[in-house]
Amino acid sequence: MKPSLAKGTRDFTAQEVSRRKYIINILQNNFELFGFQPLETPSFENLSTLTGKYGEEGDRLIFKILNSGDYTSKVNQEDWDHKNHQKLISQISDKALRYDLTVPFARFVAMNHGKLTFPFKRYQIQPVWRADRPQKGRFREFYQCDADVVGSESLLQEVELVQLYLKSFAGLNVPVTIHMNNRKILSGLAEYAGITEKLIEFTVALDKLDKIGKEGVVKELLEREISQESIDKLDFLFNQSDDALENLLQLKEKFAGNEIGLKGVEELEFVLTQSLNLGVDMQNLVFNITLARGLDYYTGAIFEVKADEVAMGSIGGGGRYDNLTEVFGVKNIPGIGISFGLDRIYLVMEELNLFPEEASSKTEYLFANFGGEGTTEALKLIMQLRAKGISAELYPENAKINKQFTYAEKKGIKNLVFLGEEEINNNTVTFKNLEAGEQKTVSLEEFLA
């Protein structure tokens, strides 16, 4: 049988692993500069922990894990005969791979809130799994890099996270635009259009605007039994100006007497104004009134980051979720968090050729193997180089020199070192820089220096 990969998964070569580590190291450094501490949670959770937190569509994308042993032994025969998959799931599976890092984090906070110092700031860099349809930039197994703060309602947290986004992407040299909105504004729009009871349907459809366009959104709203009259009242959403503050002013007029909508405008206005005061270019931070982010747990600010020069979906996103721990029995712990999409950031940097040379892990020195005494002396010298933090290796076999040259070139090793009888007797080292094609002999002392 030919070996194959499961759809939506990938192997990573040495270069890819090194480049991914380069991105992670920059993000991790910035997380810690902003006062976030690391946390890790299990790869799988109880199914009950995850379901009901991501909306109807999100729940369908959770990878369920079959119970161990004879998982059919406790199945209701009638449900089995009628292939009632909704009822069968809870009977054959009680665990699932995590869908994101936010819900497991909320579960952690709910379990440990008595031991934590609030506001509690954590970052988490781990893989997540979604039973989604694979396509460019969308995988079934991928990494998320999250930073969250819980235990504070201050809008300064939103401002800080905008700063964290901009500093991190500047460190990666990736030009981005941060799109912002507020779920209270979306609730206000639903109230304005008389569709408050259809808020979830409204936001789920609106969140697809980039993928299916205005006509597709309108069609989906009609399919979800939202009237044409309500849709007409919301038509202004698709014709926004480039001036964020002007758009907010227009909303204030439409939200007269609409308490939740006005609260959302006030919160967003504060974040935008504070960011401007800190020198953020409004070209990098825009108010996107159609941004919805389809996850049910968001309650306030929502973010989405897009690369400026590459046609790809969001490479980051997040928002405020003031009620998430409540589903685990712990009330009054507000939270807000953002996520960096490692895999998509990688694709953007690769397309724009942004990876520096040091992002690739390569051996600095390969010692040629001539057998005999030279092998032992080479290993001694390699130990000294490694003690200095310099990567070096010995070709394992006494093979023809052309074969050793080929090995070095294919692995991208910069220098080939010759330590033969003459070098050992004269206490010297001969090495050839394979990139420049230059060869020189120096004293052992000079080489180690």
Side-chain angles (χ1 to χ4, degrees):
M1 187 179 77
K2 284 188 177 181
S4 62
L5 279 170
K7 282 186 178 180
T9 65
R10 296 150 296 159
D11 292 320
F12 297 109
T13 64
Q15 183 185 64
E16 289 167 331
V17 170
S18 298
R19 287 179 168 184
R20 287 164 68 85
K21 283 173 67 177
Y22 171 79
I23 298 170
I24 288 171
N25 288 341
I26 287 178
L27 296 181
Q28 187 170 341
N29 182 56
N30 281 313
F31 290 156
E32 294 181 359
L33 281 175
F34 279 69
F36 293 86
Q37 297 179 319
L39 175 72
E40 291 189 359
T41 59
S43 297
F44 59 90
E45 297 273 350
N46 290 325
L47 182 58
S48 58
T49 298
L50 302 179
T51 50
K53 316 301 188 304
Y54 306 109
E56 181 185 334
E57 292 194 17
D59 280 354
R60 285 203 297 268
L61 301 182
I62 295 173
F63 270 113
K64 285 80 174 177
I65 300 173
L66 287 175
N67 294 335
S68 301
D70 183 5
Y71 59 86
T72 63
S73 60
K74 297 180 182 179
V75 168
N76 179 288
Q77 191 62 44
E78 185 179 346
D79 293 334
W80 186 272
D81 292 340
H82 288 85
K83 298 181 180 179
N84 190 332
H85 72 280
Q86 290 291 354
K87 290 185 177 180
L88 284 172
I89 285 172
S90 61
Q91 298 172 43
I92 63 175
S93 172
D94 57 20
K95 293 178 180 62
L97 295 176
R98 62 172 171 245
Y99 177 91
D100 71 353
L101 300 178
T102 306
V103 171
F105 173 54
R107 187 265 309 149
F108 170 84
V109 172
M111 290 178 65
N112 298 278
H113 66 281
K115 307 171 191 174
L116 303 177
T117 301
F118 293 108
F120 178 62
K121 304 173 75 172
R122 85 85 172 84
Y123 73 86
Q124 197 169 343
I125 302 173
Q126 287 187 279
V128 298
W129 294 266
R130 297 183 185 178
D132 212 342
R133 184 170 61 86
Q135 53 187 285
K136 182 184 178 183
R138 188 183 294 274
F139 307 99
R140 288 178 169 175
E141 179 186 60
F142 58 97
Y143 267 72
Q144 284 190 337
C145 311
D146 284 14
D148 289 72
V149 188
V150 293
S152 172
E153 294 181 343
S154 171
L155 293 176
L156 291 175
Q157 304 293 356
E158 278 84 335
V159 178
E160 276 272 278
L161 291 177
V162 168
Q163 299 296 312
L164 176 56
Y165 259 146
L166 292 174
K167 188 175 189 313
S168 299
F169 282 112
L172 293 167
N173 290 317
V174 176
V176 298
T177 300
I178 303 174
H179 294 250
M180 280 191 65
N181 199 3
N182 193 298
R183 286 297 281 247
K184 294 184 179 73
I185 289 177
L186 293 170
S187 295
L189 288 170
E191 185 176 318
Y192 169 75
I195 53 171
T196 302
E197 74 287 352
K198 295 278 188 179
L199 174 62
I200 300 301
E201 291 90 337
F202 167 55
T203 55
V204 167
L206 194 61
D207 196 46
K208 298 176 183 176
L209 181 62
D210 282 350
K211 299 173 187 173
I212 61 178
K214 176 184 174 181
E215 288 184 10
V217 170
V218 170
K219 181 183 176 184
E220 186 160 328
L221 290 173
L222 290 170
E223 289 172 353
R224 292 175 179 267
E225 298 180 352
I226 292 175
S227 70
Q228 185 64 54
E229 182 183 359
S230 295
I231 294 171
D232 290 343
K233 289 192 75 173
L234 296 169
D235 188 66
F236 74 96
L237 296 179
F238 307 104
N239 302 289
Q240 296 292 293
S241 78
D242 293 331
D243 189 325
L245 296 178
E246 181 184 319
N247 292 334
L248 285 171
L249 184 62
Q250 182 187 30
L251 275 182
K252 281 184 181 178
E253 295 172 358
K254 293 184 181 297
F255 284 165
N258 186 328
E259 186 176 342
I260 192 167
L262 289 173
K263 181 67 174 172
V265 170
E266 178 189 331
E267 290 180 3
L268 186 55
E269 199 169 29
F270 176 87
V271 177
L272 289 172
T273 303
Q274 287 295 321
S275 297
L276 281 170
N277 291 340
L278 291 170
V280 174
D281 190 333
M282 283 305 291
Q283 288 185 328
N284 300 122
L285 184 63
V286 301
F287 166 38
N288 182 351
I289 197 170
T290 62
L291 175 63
R293 292 195 65 77
L295 300 177
D296 285 356
Y297 54 65
Y298 290 127
T299 57
I302 43 179
F303 305 95
E304 197 156 275
V305 183
K306 296 186 179 181
D308 289 344
E309 299 173 13
V310 178
M312 189 169 301
S314 63
I315 58 174
R320 181 166 282 280
Y321 47 90
D322 285 347
N323 305 315
L324 197 54
T325 57
E326 192 170 334
V327 299
F328 300 116
V330 180
K331 297 182 178 181
N332 303 320
I333 302 184
I336 182 170
I338 58 174
S339 181
F340 293 77
L342 172 63
D343 301 271
R344 286 189 176 184
I345 293 171
Y346 183 102
L347 291 173
V348 168
M349 293 183 68
E350 187 175 52
E351 188 165 332
L352 297 178
N353 197 26
L354 295 176
F355 285 108
E357 188 179 344
E358 61 266 25
S360 297
S361 177
K362 294 179 181 177
T363 304
E364 192 76 17
Y365 293 99
L366 172 69
F367 282 68
N369 190 333
F370 298 114
E373 182 188 357
T375 303
T376 302
E377 293 303 315
L379 287 171
K380 288 179 181 177
L381 189 49
I382 286 169
M383 286 177 66
Q384 293 180 70
L385 287 173
R386 289 171 178 168
K388 291 173 173 286
I390 298 169
S391 59
E393 62 177 284
L394 173 71
Y395 192 81
E397 289 133 8
N398 180 6
K400 290 181 179 179
I401 194 64
N402 283 345
K403 186 175 182 180
Q404 299 188 47
F405 261 108
T406 302
Y407 174 81
E409 288 171 350
K410 285 186 174 180
K411 283 195 70 176
I413 298 173
K414 293 180 180 179
N415 302 286
L416 185 59
V417 181
F418 308 101
L419 203 61
E421 185 178 343
E422 184 178 340
E423 282 82 9
I424 293 170
N425 291 336
N426 296 326
N427 220 23
T428 59
V429 176
T430 299
F431 66 96
K432 182 170 186 175
N433 184 303
L434 298 180
E435 291 179 347
E438 297 175 353
Q439 181 170 313
K440 65 171 76 172
T441 300
V442 298
S443 69
L444 180 60
E445 185 178 331
E446 185 182 346
F447 178 74
L448 287 172

